[in-house]
Amino acid sequence: MALTPEQALVKRIRASHGPESIVPAVLKTDDRVIARVTDGIYRQPGSALRELISNAYDADATRVIIKTDAPRFERISVEDDGHGMEPEALAHLLLHIGGSAKRNELGSSLGVTAADDPTRSPGGRRLIGKIGIGLFSVSQLTHTFQIITKVKGDDHRTVATVALRQYADEDIVPDQDGEKKFESGKVNIWREKAADTEIHGTTIILTSIRPQARDTLRSRDIWSAIDQNESQSDAEEQSIIDPPRFHIGRVDESGDLLKETAGELSALPWKKGDPPDEAFAKLAQSVWEEAEHSTPNPQLDRIFDYYLRMVWQLSLAVPLPYVDGHLFDMDLNGWAEAFTLSNQPKGSATKLDAGGAPLRKKAGLEDPVGSIGKFEVFFDDLQLARPVKFRGLPATNNALKHPLVFIGKCREEFKKVPRALSGGPLAFEAYLFWTPKVAPVEHQGSLVRIHGSSGTLFDSTFMRYQVSEQTRLRQITCEIFVSEGLDSALNIDRESFNHAHPHSVYLTKWLHSALRQLASAQKRLASEVRGQTRDESKGVAVSTIQSVASKIWSQEADDPGAHPPAIELSTTGRKTEATGEAYVYSRAAIVPERPRGAQTAKTKARNAILEEKLKAIAQVLASFGLLDSVPKRKQEKLLKAIYEILDAPGE
């Protein structure tokens, strides 16, 4: 019987014994649409690394090590200790892009799925990958890469060098069977002797990084703007462009020489020599310290360069423990109130006595991440963890000082809808964490995890929630842990959902109901606090200026008991432990220096009123989120202009 092209390739690979006996092959795709993966269907360079980590996870890896030559980014390697690939599995991967062996009967014979369940890895993990294009996400980074893979017990490793090509309609040609295929690239494959037969795993080595990807990884847009601004000879033409507070450094135009910024090659929140887990904890802590001591509402794109933001986003995306512990494993007694969410259309949240035991036990929660076994990801100097914090958050001026935790879990069978249309059952658990201030602002929203993994970031629209409660939505972090279903609603890049899919429709309605229940409970509790403090505030005179700012803040916050953050002008412009949530500015940067000499009582009173008006205007701007929309230096510039307008003499 004649061998199939795939069987013939396997035979040639097994007969190979070193680089001198290279086996040439041609990449083939099973579908014209899938062929476009070689154009890069993923949106960011970090997406490619996320997919490679997911592949390692599906191969039952316990450790993934990513190394770069940052900030040059000429080379990236991703190494895992997973099962590795037999020549049969590698051949199938190369000849069937988009024809994954996962989740079907072929997976078991190729060693990529469990024998009794094609939706699980050989070690029992729920698979993240689905259609077999994850490896080729590297086209976002490079068109040439190398695969080195080995299975336990094999005395040879298999090496493949891949050169991808761009997609074009005219490149679709019939193969020998008459089926139209797209040649996605060329591959050279060989087998070489391995010293240790017990070693197993896969390493992906990326070289010749694409110029556009390299520029993105180097944060070239930021540094180019700074370089151009600094080159302006006229100081008046220079803009206020601050470099990221933390960055890995920058290179010159040639990409060879490192350039200093403020006298340093890099600015990192950890020290050289810190253990990887401590280094990452310091990275996460730097954002929360920004909220406590500098910027009330920190944004990652102002604190970090692209590399550090990418690390942060990868930490959110893959199945990892939380940097400070999982919310479900916490006892909320003394620092938060808990509620259970109703799954009924017009249901309401019910108070949960969450003290004395972890939330997981009190509410009967599971979250599948806890059952995946050991899985660690190291990225250069860091050991990644989910950078979501629940305890020890910054103090605020809100009426409610402590967080509120809303817990939900649901299973929908879609019994009235044919399985072919519904996609089968949908099961998930979720929390909605309300706190007066969410940091960083990128964590304001909902994030969906399928079997512990997510290709999306926090969705600040909460799946297009239409109710006008923007201030409250900025106070909520939500994670939804899907244990069954929804993966069929993921778009091909795993970074968005098909909103028309029945699972997406159901989950959207559930989340919107949960938000309504949260809002009702939070308003009720805030009203109770307001009632308790009303008598205490009687007789306290509030100026007309202050009352206007307070009124706008409480309206925008939809919280009658809330007060706007204080605006302080100090000699240093820095926060102290006593300033709390206040916006603190340098007085010299905003208030013009007054002529020396004694001032009359009338002048002093006028200047004091000017400052009160300025502070009230700043509070109104903060109420609408306008103050936080610009960096601190521009905030000071804005407030200085407002002060000068207020101080200008009338006719």
Side-chain angles (χ1 to χ4, degrees):
M1 182 182 295
L3 297 178
T4 66
E6 186 171 331
Q7 291 170 334
L9 178 58
V10 171
K11 184 177 180 180
R12 296 200 304 274
I13 294 173
R14 288 199 172 277
S16 168
H17 295 285
E20 65 279 358
S21 56
I22 285 175
V23 179
V26 174
L27 293 180
K28 295 184 178 181
T29 47
D30 288 324
D31 188 278
R32 176 180 300 206
V33 176
I34 300 299
R36 288 195 175 273
V37 71
T38 57
D39 285 334
I41 63 169
Y42 296 90
R43 304 175 188 181
Q44 295 289 336
S47 302
L49 298 178
R50 182 196 70 218
E51 293 304 305
L52 296 183
I53 296 171
S54 297
N55 281 353
Y57 176 87
D58 284 352
D60 288 324
T62 63
R63 172 174 291 202
V64 181
I65 300 174
I66 301 173
K67 291 188 178 295
T68 75
D69 60 343
R72 292 182 175 87
F73 295 106
E74 301 289 348
R75 185 180 189 275
I76 300 173
S77 67
V78 182
E79 177 184 355
D80 70 62
D81 63 352
H83 296 302
M85 288 182 282
E86 295 271 15
E88 288 84 355
L90 180 62
H92 186 276
L93 173 69
L94 298 175
L95 296 181
H96 298 281
I97 301 174
S100 176
K102 297 177 182 178
R103 303 175 189 251
N104 62 51
E105 63 281 355
L106 184 59
S108 176
S109 64
L110 293 177
V112 298
T113 64
D116 58 346
D117 187 348
T119 68
R120 294 185 179 272
S121 71
R125 290 176 177 169
R126 293 299 296 265
L127 295 174
I128 297 174
K130 183 170 59 173
I131 61 176
I133 63 172
L135 174 63
F136 294 90
S137 64
V138 300
S139 62
Q140 182 71 37
L141 292 169
T142 180
H143 281 154
T144 61
F145 61 96
Q146 187 176 61
I147 306 169
I148 305 170
T149 187
K150 181 185 174 301
V151 298
K152 186 176 182 179
D154 193 346
D155 61 357
H156 280 72
R157 66 176 61 87
T158 306
V159 183
T161 59
V162 182
L164 299 171
R165 60 178 296 186
Q166 295 292 116
Y167 172 84
D169 281 335
E170 57 268 24
D171 292 328
I172 299 289
V173 295
D175 62 12
Q176 62 186 19
D177 299 322
E179 185 178 357
K180 290 187 175 182
K181 298 276 188 175
F182 170 68
E183 293 186 2
S184 306
K186 301 292 185 182
V187 189
N188 286 326
I189 312 164
W190 67 90
R191 298 259 287 168
E192 59 186 31
K193 193 73 175 177
D196 189 343
T197 60
E198 295 304 298
I199 293 295
H200 53 89
T202 299
T203 299
I204 310 294
I205 300 175
L206 313 177
T207 54
S208 302
I209 305 299
R210 297 171 68 171
Q212 183 177 1
R214 193 168 58 240
D215 286 346
T216 300
L217 291 165
R218 291 176 176 175
S219 302
R220 184 173 176 81
D221 56 340
I222 299 173
W223 297 119
S224 294
I226 291 173
D227 286 341
Q228 184 176 0
N229 184 59
E230 291 174 347
S231 68
Q232 295 286 347
S233 57
D234 189 346
E236 291 187 0
E237 292 187 9
Q238 289 187 357
S239 304
I240 299 175
I241 303 178
D242 292 323
R245 181 177 176 188
F246 298 109
H247 59 84
I248 55 166
R250 55 173 167 165
V251 295
D252 65 7
E253 291 293 333
S254 68
D256 294 330
L257 300 176
L258 295 172
K259 298 182 67 175
E260 290 187 351
T261 304
E264 298 289 341
L265 292 177
S266 62
L268 299 170
W270 67 88
K271 296 179 181 178
K272 187 176 182 180
D274 280 343
D277 56 341
E278 291 184 16
F280 186 85
K282 289 181 179 180
L283 175 73
Q285 185 62 31
S286 70
V287 174
W288 300 321
E289 287 177 349
E290 193 83 2
E292 293 174 358
H293 304 302
S294 179
T295 306
N297 297 295
Q299 294 174 253
L300 294 179
D301 60 356
R302 294 180 185 164
I303 304 173
F304 297 150
D305 62 0
Y306 178 84
Y307 172 89
L308 294 175
R309 292 201 310 274
M310 177 179 69
V311 168
W312 189 283
Q313 292 166 359
L314 284 174
S315 303
L316 286 172
V318 296
L320 293 170
Y322 290 81
V323 66
D324 275 354
H326 198 310
L327 179 64
F328 289 179
D329 294 321
M330 295 181 181
D331 183 343
L332 305 188
N333 189 35
W335 65 276
E337 289 188 65
F339 299 81
T340 55
L341 293 162
S342 170
N343 294 329
Q344 299 303 315
K346 295 184 178 180
S348 58
T350 304
K351 183 74 180 292
L352 174 68
D353 177 14
L359 198 56
R360 187 185 302 276
K361 183 176 181 180
K362 285 281 187 177
L365 303 169
E366 295 181 3
D367 178 16
V369 175
S371 60
I372 66 172
K374 180 182 177 182
F375 186 65
E376 299 174 330
V377 179
F378 294 84
F379 200 117
D380 289 336
D381 297 333
L382 304 166
Q383 181 179 352
L384 307 191
R386 290 180 183 169
V388 183
K389 187 174 183 177
F390 304 104
R391 302 196 65 169
L393 301 173
T396 72
N397 295 319
N398 250 76
L400 285 176
K401 305 297 183 185
H402 56 269
L404 306 178
V405 179
F406 294 80
I407 297 298
K409 57 181 181 177
C410 183
R411 180 179 178 84
E412 173 59 34
E413 299 288 348
F414 297 98
K415 293 181 178 179
K416 297 181 179 180
V417 182
R419 186 182 180 90
L421 299 178
S422 71
L426 172 66
F428 59 89
E429 298 172 345
Y431 74 79
L432 282 76
F433 186 82
W434 178 92
T435 184
K437 182 174 296 299
V438 173
V441 297
E442 287 84 354
H443 288 194
Q444 300 168 0
S446 57
L447 187 149
V448 180
R449 300 188 183 280
I450 301 177
H451 311 316
S453 176
S454 175
T456 66
L457 298 177
F458 283 96
D459 171 19
S460 61
T461 72
F462 290 89
M463 298 183 179
R464 308 178 309 283
Y465 189 50
Q466 297 298 318
V467 177
S468 180
E469 293 183 343
Q470 294 305 310
T471 298
R472 182 173 288 107
L473 295 185
R474 291 195 293 266
Q475 298 171 328
I476 300 172
T477 294
C478 167
E479 289 188 84
I480 300 172
F481 307 100
V482 178
S483 57
E484 186 176 359
L486 196 67
D487 51 356
S488 58
L490 278 169
N491 289 326
I492 191 171
D493 60 0
R494 296 203 309 117
E495 296 179 0
S496 58
F497 290 97
N498 172 8
H499 297 298
H501 191 283
H503 288 186
S504 288
V505 172
Y506 185 90
L507 191 61
T508 298
K509 290 181 179 179
W510 183 93
L511 177 59
H512 292 178
S513 172
L515 289 168
R516 177 186 56 76
Q517 295 176 56
L518 181 153
S520 297
Q522 192 268 340
K523 286 180 183 179
R524 183 179 69 253
L525 292 172
S527 178
E528 291 173 0
V529 171
R530 186 182 75 250
Q532 294 170 2
T533 59
R534 184 181 293 115
D535 292 338
E536 300 174 10
S537 63
K538 283 184 178 179
V540 177
V542 179
S543 70
T544 304
I545 297 172
Q546 293 173 328
S547 66
V548 171
S550 296
K551 180 180 178 181
I552 293 297
W553 179 269
S554 63
Q555 288 176 348
E556 289 304 304
D558 195 14
D559 183 353
H563 299 286
I567 308 294
E568 296 188 11
L569 306 178
S570 73
T571 55
T572 64
R574 295 181 177 276
K575 285 192 172 187
T576 65
E577 292 184 2
T579 53
E581 194 192 3
Y583 289 80
V584 181
Y585 301 103
S586 167
R587 175 179 292 277
I590 295 175
V591 179
E593 186 176 353
R594 301 294 180 182
R596 293 186 178 181
Q599 292 185 347
T600 64
K602 184 177 181 181
T603 300
K604 289 181 179 179
R606 178 181 180 276
N607 291 340
I609 291 175
L610 278 176
E611 287 194 17
E612 288 303 315
K613 288 183 177 180
L614 177 71
K615 292 177 181 179
I617 291 172
Q619 289 172 327
V620 170
L621 292 173
S623 300
F624 292 96
L626 301 176
L627 201 57
D628 294 319
S629 66
V630 295
K632 186 176 180 180
R633 287 175 63 187
K634 286 196 174 184
Q635 292 177 21
E636 290 179 335
K637 192 174 181 180
L638 170 64
L639 296 180
K640 180 180 180 181
I642 294 173
Y643 188 93
E644 289 174 346
I645 292 173
L646 294 174
D647 194 29
E651 293 185 2

